[in-house]
Amino acid sequence: GRGHEANDFHMEYKLAVRPSTVEGAGNGLFLAGKAIRGSVVALYPGLFAIPEHGPEVYEAVMDRNQDEQKGYAIARMDGILLDASVDFDGIDDKNDETWPDFYTPETRGSYKMLATKENSYALGQFINHPPEPQMANLQQLAFDFSHDYPRHLRPYIPTKIISSNFMGLGHRELSSTIVYVATRDIQDEELFIDYRLNPDLEYPSWYNPVDEEAARKRWS
């Protein structure tokens, strides 16, 4: 399986998944070493769907994450939905039976996995929302890998579109993800991101609003 404490590149820091400092949150993502402000610290892994896949695929992904209480599905502002609940290690491109049941051949089509090497920074699904009075130390940004992305680095791309058959329906990039950028210098601490939940809905008991104005902008 993929290790959750490794370092493939020569960086000034590495990431580790271990019990969070947030009570009741389970695991969190920690940075060991120092990352300066503006550094890309982590990426979000998994399979992703684009709006052209339609509501059936979106609902299947969200329902599965809810049913299994994974919480590893996240949507970008442009409608791309990433699902980190799927373990690439168990998937064989040429064997349909190794793919999750909810990705049927009708929604998946032909495919080729890009992520053939472990990317030890693709652990964004473990980043928690900060507890009061702490603030987020990361900002999330949409990022697309273009078709001129260096070939020797492509095996480290940690995301894969659900079906390459949909490439002609609007997704023109090689792959898509979310990157997490340090908003300040970070050293030997847990990583946090503002989840920016919809302020028009009832917040869960654990949620501490960090920036409601930004949240309203996200959901407007």
Side-chain angles (χ1 to χ4, degrees):
R2 294 174 185 272
H4 282 161
E5 190 165 3
N7 194 6
D8 296 322
F9 308 104
H10 299 291
M11 308 288 282
E12 297 297 321
Y13 59 87
K14 61 182 179 180
L15 303 179
V17 176
R18 58 176 187 263
S20 174
T21 59
V22 181
E23 184 177 355
N27 285 327
L29 187 61
F30 292 77
L31 183 143
K34 183 176 182 179
I36 63 172
R37 179 182 178 183
S39 300
V40 173
V41 172
L43 302 89
Y44 205 90
L47 302 177
F48 69 92
I50 59 177
E52 288 82 358
H53 278 109
E56 293 82 5
V57 173
Y58 268 52
E59 290 171 7
V61 172
M62 297 305 292
D63 288 348
R64 178 177 183 273
N65 275 266
Q66 278 189 334
D67 291 344
E68 299 188 12
Q69 297 183 330
K70 294 280 188 181
Y72 288 160
I74 185 172
R76 300 192 337 182
M77 295 290 286
D78 59 3
I80 288 177
L81 181 68
L82 292 126
D83 179 14
S85 68
V86 179
D87 183 4
F88 280 174
D89 285 347
I91 296 177
D92 179 354
D93 273 349
K94 299 179 181 179
N95 185 352
D96 284 351
E97 294 182 359
T98 64
W99 282 76
D101 292 338
F102 64 99
Y103 292 124
T104 65
E106 288 75 26
T107 59
R108 189 175 69 243
S110 61
Y111 44 83
K112 180 174 177 59
M113 297 298 291
L114 291 171
T116 57
K117 293 185 179 180
E118 177 186 341
N119 185 328
S120 53
Y121 297 96
L123 297 170
Q125 73 272 35
F126 294 106
I127 301 172
N128 287 318
H129 182 82
E132 196 173 11
Q134 289 182 260
M135 300 294 290
N137 48 23
L138 300 175
Q139 173 70 45
Q140 67 182 43
L141 298 170
F143 181 82
D144 296 319
F145 296 94
S146 64
H147 285 280
D148 60 0
Y149 193 73
R151 289 191 174 276
H152 71 285
L153 293 177
R154 292 185 183 188
Y156 295 98
I157 294 176
T159 53
K160 169 69 180 75
I161 195 167
I162 288 174
S163 171
S164 59
N165 286 346
F166 287 89
M167 284 294 188
L169 296 180
H171 196 73
R172 305 298 182 185
E173 306 298 340
L174 183 65
S175 197
S176 295
T177 187
I178 290 172
V179 296
Y180 296 89
V181 179
T183 56
R184 59 169 173 80
D185 291 353
I186 303 172
Q187 185 167 2
D188 298 324
E189 56 188 284
E190 185 170 2
L191 300 174
F192 293 112
I193 187 77
D194 181 2
Y195 282 7
R196 294 185 297 175
L197 298 186
N198 190 337
D200 292 329
L201 301 178
E202 183 178 356
Y203 291 140
S205 58
W206 54 263
Y207 184 75
N208 164 49
V210 174
D211 187 340
E212 289 202 72
E213 183 178 348
R216 288 193 181 280
K217 183 178 180 181
R218 176 189 181 185
W219 294 99
S220 63

